């Protein structure tokens, strides 16, 4: 590891956050052209990461980091092997294009600076997620991507649909994040590993553990929610409420792949077991089919793409769990290919929307003359997504069929799923990338014309990359795909697939897929009706289920709040005092810690008189006919106690007690008159008995506690210290005051802050309730 | 409550109590007293004045809102602790100076400033509560 690269890498990881902080300012000065400057941040990160390619390709991962919480052994550390590096390059590379695209897409939007901020924040979180080595860092960045995704989906927060979608995504992926945390804790407990690199070298420990299944299920909970696997897929299409740059970036190219990333990352440790090879293909395959079928049902370009993304994620999960090296290679190739073509197609869809004012496929036609560059980008991306030879998508698909195309019941079932899914995706690819441009132009909300450079530069670059990658496959394999596949498989791998067709089973399967895809494309409108009919017949889906669960949750919380926070002061007080009595009495009785019978002190007559006054005061409180008398009687008891303090040598205490008692009486009387209570007490006999029991137990409990405390041997080191040093250290003879303002000054500072806050709160309380009380009284 | 005797006595009582509260505050370091007690006495004084002459009179007399006085006290107490940082000793360490005033040595300290802060917080908070409650009585 190079020493000089370490601070630079840290800088690269922090750069998106810095750029996010600067974005609003830059945007105010440069308007939408700030995009050119802001795109430099991801571009620089891309270049920095690209510099690692040779070293990583030669099989030496890059590790580095700094101590974060040394006392807990937690480090801020990163680990760059083929897998994380490829992700890092995708995130920063596509990120740069997306920033440019956002510059054009949200041109003139009042909150464009905020949007840049959010998307750069997300970029930083995502980058951190894929390079993280330590578990804690992984989790923190994982949740951070959920939070930034929430902000981005809800960017247009004036609309209810956007708010709902944002909340839904946050709840689903956030809960998945918690599940992931639990899973990582289990893994950490079993293997003792605190970071991924250590875990990867832990061998068979995890697979042989009895906790394997628990850990697997918890981690799958995180991965499946993030990567929108069935039945958690519903949040992803709803997330299309976000502006298109977000959909292109988060919900196709990067964030939703975090789950796949995690599965790939943990494949060497958790993979190769029956559970892994059953759960992943089953959920992945289901997701692929459901996603593709739902995609055909849509008429909105973005929604179609969203469902195919769900479908592609299913395919990736299925391949990751298939259990052969070829399948892992295929997953790697498809992941890269998908990021390129899906990002491009999303941006094309956004571009069409931006220039024509609609995304409805039934209204779009004949745009090829008006938007030639968009057409080129869309077509190239569609060819790659459809898996046409020479394009990178074809390479990936060939590899998929080569991997799955072995005999056996299980592979054949999966191959059927793969062909069906791919054919449907083929149809969607051309519906988005070709159909809007053909035919004669319909009437559209806006007169279509080519978008500005900021808008087409991104999709065109990605689409061309898809072609370039398909042609120069060997160079790409050497630099990117082979190291990534090695990291996923946990052993050196060498990918050889190319974009030139070779005769063999995979090619026949490819041909079948394309033929089927063309058929679906032609029959699309009829198929759409069939699926729509079937969905109507089913009726209920997880999306509605989510709403129902949320409503149920709100109802339960509401009911619970009504019980706990019922607004009745007498119940609050009763509960509080019952708890006080129980906490004091139960341990004392249970552990046999009751105080011994106290020795009665020999008091002088005047001291007895004062004690009697206190007792009489108490009696008067209980027997008082009206409340004012009771309050004043309580004051008498307090004054008597203050006198006792004075007699037994605590002038400061007694002084304070006098003042507190006086003010208490005044304030209580004021409160009582303000609350317009009836002067006399008219509780029922039963209530009185209950109150008497509660107050009696509290009094007995505190009395016993004080007796017990005074019977314990008194450690006078502290008071001896204060006595000895109060004069010389603090220049004061009044020890009590010296303690308050000097020795324990910080405590006092905290206390007076509390006094002030209490004052503030009471003031607010008085102010807030005034009109209501007045209204009720009238 | 507004008897003639009470209203006649109240101004003297208030003035005396305020004076006494300052006396208690300042002597607190060596004799019984201090910011807390002083603050309570002063708060009682304002409460008495409020009962005798109504809240608006007291509010006019204090000029600042009592809770602002409390906030100022908290700020003062916190700032008195910062002084020690300039001398390279920990936060809230007492710093003492003894300048000669009219031939008498007077001990001044950040501790005293801190105690004044405590005094103001207590006066401000309690007074604002008491006045708030009395205020509603006058409606």
């Amino acid at each position: 590891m190079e020493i000089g690269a370490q601070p630079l890498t840290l800088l690269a990881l922090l750069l998106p956050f810095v750029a996010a902080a600067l974005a609003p300012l830059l945007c105010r000065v440069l308007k939408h052209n700030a995009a050119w400057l802001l795109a430099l941040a991801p571009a620089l990160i891309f270049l920095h990461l690209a510099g690692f390619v040779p070293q990583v390709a030669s099989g030496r991962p890059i590790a580095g980091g700094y101590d974060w919480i040394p006392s807990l052994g937690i480090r801020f550390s990163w680990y760059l092997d083929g897998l994380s590096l490829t992700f890092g390059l995708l995130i920063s590379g596509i990120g740069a294009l997306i920033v440019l695209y956002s510059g054009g897409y949200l041109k003139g939007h009042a909150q464009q600076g905020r949007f840049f901020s959010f998307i750069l924040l997300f970029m930083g979180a995502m980058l951190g997620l894929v390079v993280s080595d330590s578990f804690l860092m992984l989790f923190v960045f994982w949740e951070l991507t959920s939070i930034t995704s929430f902000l981005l989906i809800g960017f247009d927060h004036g609309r209810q649909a956007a708010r709902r979608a944002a909340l839904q995504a946050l709840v689903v992926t956030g809960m998945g994040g918690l599940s992931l945390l639990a899973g990582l804790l289990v893994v950490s407990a079993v293997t003792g590993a605190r970071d991924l690199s250590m875990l990867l070298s832990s061998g068979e420990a995890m697979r042989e553990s009895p906790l394997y299944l628990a850990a697997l299920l918890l981690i799958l909970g995180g991965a499946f929610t993030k990567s929108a696997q069935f039945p958690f897929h519903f949040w992803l299409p709803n997330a299309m409420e976000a502006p298109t740059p977000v959909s292109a970036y988060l919900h196709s190219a990067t964030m939703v792949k975090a789950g796949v990333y995690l599965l790939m990352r943990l494949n060497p440790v958790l993979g190769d077991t029956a559970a892994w090879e059953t759960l992943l293909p089953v959920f992945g395959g289901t997701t692929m089919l459901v996603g593709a079928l739902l995609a055909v049902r849509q008429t909105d370009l973005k929604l179609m793409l969203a469902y195919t993304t769900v479908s592609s994620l299913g395919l990736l999960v299925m391949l990751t769990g298939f259990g052969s090296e070829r399948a892992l290679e295929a997953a790697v190739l498809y992941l890269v290919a998908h990021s390129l073509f899906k990002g491009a197609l999303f941006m094309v869809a956004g571009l069409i929307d931006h220039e024509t004012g609609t995304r409805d496929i039934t209204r779009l036609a004949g745009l090829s003359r008006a938007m030639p560059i968009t057409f080129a980008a869309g077509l190239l991306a569609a060819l790659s997504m459809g898996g046409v030879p020479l394009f990178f998508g074809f390479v990936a698909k060939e590899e998929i069929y080569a991997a799955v195309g072995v005999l056996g019941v299980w592979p054949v079932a999966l191959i059927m799923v793969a062909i069906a899914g791919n054919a449907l995706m083929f149809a969607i690819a051309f519906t988005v990338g070709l159909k809007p441009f053909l035919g004669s132009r319909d009437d559209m909300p806006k007169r279509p014309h080519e978008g500005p450079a900021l808008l087409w530069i991104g999709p065109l670059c990605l689409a061309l990359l898809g072609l370039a990658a398909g042609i120069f496959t060997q160079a790409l394999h050497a630099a990117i795909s082979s190291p990534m596949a090695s990291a996923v498989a946990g052993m050196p791998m060498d990918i050889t697939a190319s974009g030139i067709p070779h005769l063999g089973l995979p090619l026949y399967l490819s041909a079948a897929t394309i033929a089927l895809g063309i058929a679906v494309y032609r029959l699309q409108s009829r198929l759409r009706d069939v699926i729509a009919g079937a969905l109507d017949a089913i009726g209920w889906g997880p999306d509605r289920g989510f709403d129902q669960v949320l409503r149920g949750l709100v109802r339960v919380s509401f009911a619970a709040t009504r019980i706990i926070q019922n607004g009745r002061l007498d119940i609050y007080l009763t509960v509080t005092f019952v708890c006080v009595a129980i906490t004091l009495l139960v341990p004392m009785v249970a552990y046999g810690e009751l105080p011994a019978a106290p020795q009665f002190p020999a008091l002088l007559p005047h001291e007895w008189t004062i004690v009697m006054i206190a007792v009489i005061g108490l009696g008067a409180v209980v027997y008082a006919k009206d409340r004012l008398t009771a309050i004043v009687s309580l004051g008498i008891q307090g004054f008597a106690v203050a006198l006792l303090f004075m007699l037994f040598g605590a002038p400061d205490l007694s002084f304070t007690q006098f003042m507190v008692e006086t003010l208490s009486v005044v304030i209580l009387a004021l409160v009582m008159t303000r609350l317009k209570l009836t002067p006399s007490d008219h509780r029922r006999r039963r209530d009185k008995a209950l109150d008497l029991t509660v107050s009696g137990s509290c009094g007995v409990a505190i009395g016993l506690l004080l007796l017990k405390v005074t019977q314990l041997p008194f450690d006078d080191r502290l008071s001896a210290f204060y006595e000895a040093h109060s004069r010389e250290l603090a220049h004061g003879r009044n020890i009590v005051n010296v303690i308050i303002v000097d020795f324990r000054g910080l405590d006092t500072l905290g206390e007076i802050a509390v006094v002030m806050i209490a004052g503030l709160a009471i003031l607010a309380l008085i102010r807030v309730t005034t009109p209501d009380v007045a209204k009720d009284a009238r | 409550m507004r008897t003639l005797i009470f209203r006649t006595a109240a101004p003297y009582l208030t003035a005396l109590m305020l004076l006494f509260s300052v006396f208690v505050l300042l002597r607190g370091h060596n004799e019984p007293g201090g910011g807390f007690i002083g603050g309570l006495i002063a708060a009682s004084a304002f409460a008495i004045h409020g009962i005798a002459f109504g809240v608006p009179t007291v509010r006019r007399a204090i000029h600042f809102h009592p809770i602002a006085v409390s906030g100022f006290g908290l700020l003062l107490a916190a700032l008195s602790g910062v002084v020690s940082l300039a001398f390279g000793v920990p936060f809230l360490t007492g710093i003492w100076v003894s300048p000669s005033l009219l031939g008498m040595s007077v001990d001044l300290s950040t501790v005293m400033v801190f105690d004044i802060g405590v005094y103001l917080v207590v006066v401000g908070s309690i007074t604002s509560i008491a006045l708030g409650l009395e205020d509603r009585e006058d409606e």
Side-chain angles (χ1 to χ4, degrees), chain B:
Chain B
M1 292 294 267
R2 296 188 186 172
T3 60
L4 187 61
I5 299 173
F6 185 54
R7 285 174 63 177
T8 313
Y12 300 104
L13 210 53
T14 307
L16 273 176
M17 282 172 82
L18 281 178
L19 190 66
F20 186 60
S21 76
V22 175
F23 165 72
V24 167
L25 160 71
L26 291 181
R27 79 171 202 155
H29 214 61
N30 291 320
E31 308 291 336
F36 263 113
I37 303 171
L40 290 173
I41 295 173
S44 323
F46 288 127
I48 287 174
H49 204 73
I51 292 169
F53 297 103
V55 174
T57 321
V58 183
R59 289 209 195 278
R60 263 200 308 280
I62 304 178
H63 184 70
F64 300 105
H65 193 286
I67 206 73
V69 174
S70 178
F72 177 72
L74 190 57
L75 185 71
L76 194 68
L79 287 181
S80 79
V82 178
V83 175
S84 60
L85 294 183
F87 292 86
V89 285
F91 181 61
L92 279 174
T93 309
I95 305 293
W96 290 78
V97 285
S98 301
S100 200
L101 224 85
L102 302 172
M104 266 169 61
S105 165
V106 181
D107 288 336
L108 295 177
S109 66
T110 57
V111 173
M112 201 172 80
V113 178
F114 183 83
D115 218 9
I116 293 172
V118 173
Y119 173 87
L120 291 176
V121 169
V122 175
V123 177
S125 299
I126 308 282
T127 307
S128 66
I129 295 169
L131 289 186
L133 288 167
E134 286 175 19
D135 215 1
R136 299 173 59 189
E137 199 175 31
D138 292 338
E139 275 169 16

Side-chain angles (χ1 to χ4, degrees), chain A residues 212-296:
Chain A
Y212 169 78
L213 195 64
L216 178 66
L217 289 179
L218 286 170
I219 286 175
L220 289 187
F224 281 4
T225 47
K226 198 80 160 177
S227 282
Q229 296 298 295
F230 183 84
F232 306 114
H233 64 280
F234 55 90
W235 72 264
L236 183 55
N238 288 339
M240 294 303 127
E241 293 294 337
T244 306
V246 178
S247 312
Y249 192 40
L250 273 69
H251 305 123
S252 73
T254 56
M255 185 183 92
V256 290
K257 296 221 173 71
V260 177
Y261 163 80
L262 188 73
L263 295 177
M264 289 181 158
R265 170 58 80 207
L266 296 176
N267 178 51
V269 188
L270 294 177
D272 203 20
T273 63
W276 178 271
E277 287 173 12
T278 317
L279 285 173
L280 265 61
V282 166
F283 277 96
T286 314
T287 308
M288 182 180 189
L289 272 187
V290 169
L293 284 171
L294 290 174
V296 177

Side-chain angles (χ1 to χ4, degrees), chain A residues 50-253:
Chain A
F52 290 140
V53 167
Q55 190 189 335
V56 171
S58 67
R60 284 175 297 138
I62 294 176
Y66 296 88
D67 280 338
W68 181 8
I69 312 174
S71 52
L72 296 178
I74 293 171
R75 280 168 61 75
F76 183 90
S77 53
W78 55 84
Y79 179 76
L80 279 160
D81 59 359
L83 178 61
S84 21
L85 190 60
T86 306
F87 264 96
L89 289 172
L90 284 175
I91 292 161
S92 51
I94 298 182
L97 297 175
I98 290 288
V99 169
L100 292 180
Y101 185 77
S102 325
Y105 193 81
L106 288 175
K107 182 178 171 184
H109 193 290
Q111 306 292 352
Q112 196 176 21
R114 182 189 295 175
F115 183 82
F116 279 131
S117 251
F118 287 170
I119 207 143
L120 287 162
L121 276 180
F122 165 77
M123 187 186 300
M126 190 66 204
L127 205 60
L129 165 63
V130 295
V131 303
S132 290
D133 192 10
S134 82
F135 287 164
L136 192 68
M137 204 173 131
L138 176 77
F139 172 72
V140 168
F141 281 121
W142 182 281
E143 292 293 50
L144 212 52
T145 59
S146 293
I147 294 168
T148 44
S149 157
F150 168 78
L151 293 174
L152 284 165
I153 298 172
F155 180 70
D156 195 2
H157 53 76
R159 283 182 309 120
Q160 204 266 335
R163 292 199 302 272
R164 172 176 180 265
L167 185 69
Q168 191 177 50
L170 184 69
V171 169
V172 173
T173 58
M175 285 205 318
L178 294 182
S179 167
L180 170 71
L181 177 67
L184 289 176
L185 289 176
V186 174
V187 168
S188 181
V190 170
T191 60
R194 283 215 184 91
D195 41 39
L196 291 167
S197 49
M198 204 165 134
L199 179 66
L200 290 177
S201 57
S202 71
E204 294 295 310
M206 200 58 227
R207 272 185 284 257
E208 285 164 1
S209 157
L211 288 173
Y212 169 78
L213 195 64
L216 178 66
L217 289 179
L218 286 170
I219 286 175
L220 289 187
F224 281 4
T225 47
K226 198 80 160 177
S227 282
Q229 296 298 295
F230 183 84
F232 306 114
H233 64 280
F234 55 90
W235 72 264
L236 183 55
N238 288 339
M240 294 303 127
E241 293 294 337
T244 306
V246 178
S247 312
Y249 192 40
L250 273 69
H251 305 123
S252 73

